[in-house]
Amino acid sequence: MVSETAPPTLSTVASRAGVSRQTVSNALNNPELLRPETLDRVLGVIAEVGYTPNRAARQLRSGNSRLIGLRFEPAQEGTANALMDRFLHTLVESTRETGHQILLFSGDPEDPLDGYDDLLRSTAVDAFVLTDTYAGTPQAAWLQDRDAPFVAFGRPWDDPRAHHAWVDVDGAAGARLATAHLLEQGHERIGWLGWERSSRIGEDRRTGWKAAMSRAQKPTERLGGRLTDNADAARMAAHERIGIGATAFVCASDTMAVGVLRALEERGLRAGTDIGVVGFDDSAVAQVTGLSSVRQPLEDVAVEVVRLLHETLAGAPAPEQGTVLAPSLVVRGSSVSG
């Protein structure tokens, strides 16, 4: 296990000495560039806090390995989503244009930091791409504490003011698109099947459904559900809401939408004609089954991540705000009345 106590960093020294990070770097590598009094002050703080230049972090920023590390998590069983394939394909192609390659690594599922420390200490990669930015995950803060370059796919849900580069997709906008489409099809009692309250991503998508229903002055009471990302759980939740008059569903994932389709089959109902159904992520399952679904622009996300990586490795400061990209709605038979 990695120690939770982060050592003093270059940023620590800069803050205490009241100088820039570049000035601290000059004190260590080019002391002749500094005024004697500034050099003395910086070296005094270095000694006071016990800062030792991290050779690994320094080499990370030099770009010697030409590799970008990404921890790859296995797909959850029982779900219809394999989004990382689209993202990774474009990420590999885009990084190749900058002269880098993607290094995938795995880790202990119970330890979100497993694997990072080994790569950081061995200087095996130039930077990292993070894809796990859910509430409570420690990777971004851990890498920042060690001055390791990275860009995140996913906003910093725990700290909206976090100062690092990130790219995300507007999930609320996607749910609004799906709900507005079903309203246009004549539905008034549109159910929402989303993830548990602890999921910031799920709650963000839920706000889009709520906003669209509120704008149309349509009821939402008892029509929203929070459950695990599991087709069987969604199937049972769909039965409950159809029983109280739901005529359509917006789902936080294609997995849940598949559960709704199963419930319709059990009731002898047809998707689109009898009950409208829209999923989220436009997975291969959606394309095969004729499921309408919100499509995330994962290719554009990957291109933007690589652009930010290139700027980060060149020493550019992190943007003041992250990049949020808009999704689109792919309409198929499951949501079209008629």
Side-chain angles (χ1 to χ4, degrees), residues 70-74 104-116:
L70 187 153
R71 176 164 154 164
F72 191 75
E73 305 295 341
L104 297 179
F105 64 99
S106 61
D108 181 351
E110 301 299 321
D111 181 5
L113 296 176
D114 188 34
Y116 287 95

Side-chain angles (χ1 to χ4, degrees), residues 35-323:
R35 295 178 178 177
E37 59 272 21
T38 301
L39 178 61
D40 289 344
R41 184 167 77 255
V42 173
L43 292 179
V45 172
I46 288 174
E48 176 188 343
V49 301
Y51 172 65
T52 301
N54 187 318
R55 176 180 174 274
R58 184 184 297 177
Q59 189 168 339
L60 273 171
R61 289 189 295 273
S62 73
N64 289 340
S65 76
R66 315 303 296 173
L67 294 175
I68 305 296
L70 187 153
R71 176 164 154 164
F72 191 75
E73 305 295 341
Q76 183 179 346
E77 293 186 12
T79 69
N81 299 321
L83 298 182
M84 287 301 293
D85 287 347
R86 284 175 50 207
F87 174 72
L88 278 175
H89 179 78
T90 304
L91 191 70
V92 169
E93 293 298 319
S94 299
T95 51
R96 185 178 301 168
E97 295 177 6
T98 67
H100 285 83
Q101 299 289 335
I102 297 297
L103 175 66
L104 297 179
F105 64 99
S106 61
D108 181 351
E110 301 299 321
D111 181 5
L113 296 176
D114 188 34
Y116 287 95
D117 194 51
D118 288 342
L119 290 176
L120 186 62
R121 292 181 182 279
S122 65
T123 68
V125 297
D126 291 349
F128 292 95
V129 172
L130 299 185
T131 57
D132 295 322
T133 61
Y134 313 113
T137 53
Q139 295 93 321
W142 189 89
L143 289 171
Q144 279 190 305
D145 284 344
R146 287 152 181 81
D147 293 325
F150 70 94
V151 173
F153 173 17
R155 70 195 75 181
W157 295 100
D158 281 339
D159 184 8
R161 295 174 295 179
H163 194 61
H164 66 258
W166 58 267
V167 185
D168 204 1
V169 176
D170 191 341
R176 285 197 303 272
L177 278 175
T179 308
H181 164 65
L182 291 171
L183 289 166
E184 290 171 358
Q185 297 297 308
H187 295 285
E188 296 189 353
R189 292 184 61 79
I190 301 171
W192 166 260
L193 297 185
W195 299 317
E196 296 167 326
R197 193 182 297 273
S198 59
S199 169
R200 301 283 183 85
I201 297 173
E203 290 298 286
D204 182 54
R205 294 178 183 181
R206 182 187 177 98
T207 63
W209 164 72
K210 288 274 287 188
M213 294 292 281
S214 175
R215 182 175 182 179
Q217 297 183 322
K218 303 301 181 184
T220 59
E221 185 178 0
R222 298 176 63 197
L223 291 174
R226 293 183 174 93
L227 46 148
T228 58
D229 194 26
N230 178 278
D232 196 53
R235 178 186 64 82
M236 293 186 289
H239 276 303
E240 293 175 6
R241 283 153 184 82
I242 293 173
I244 59 172
T247 65
F249 291 89
V250 177
C251 303
S253 71
D254 287 344
T255 299
M256 291 183 170
V258 167
V260 176
L261 296 179
R262 290 179 183 173
L264 299 187
E265 183 178 359
E266 292 170 355
R267 286 175 170 262
L269 299 174
R270 293 171 295 175
T273 303
D274 299 314
I275 301 286
V277 186
V278 180
F280 206 111
D281 288 336
D282 195 29
S283 65
V285 170
Q287 297 167 31
V288 169
T289 60
L291 173 67
S292 296
S293 187
V294 176
R295 183 177 179 87
Q296 299 193 60
L298 298 180
E299 295 81 3
D300 294 339
V301 170
V303 170
E304 181 66 9
V305 164
V306 172
R307 185 187 71 79
L308 290 169
L309 276 172
H310 186 68
E311 292 185 356
T312 299
L313 289 170
E320 292 187 4
Q321 294 183 331
T323 302

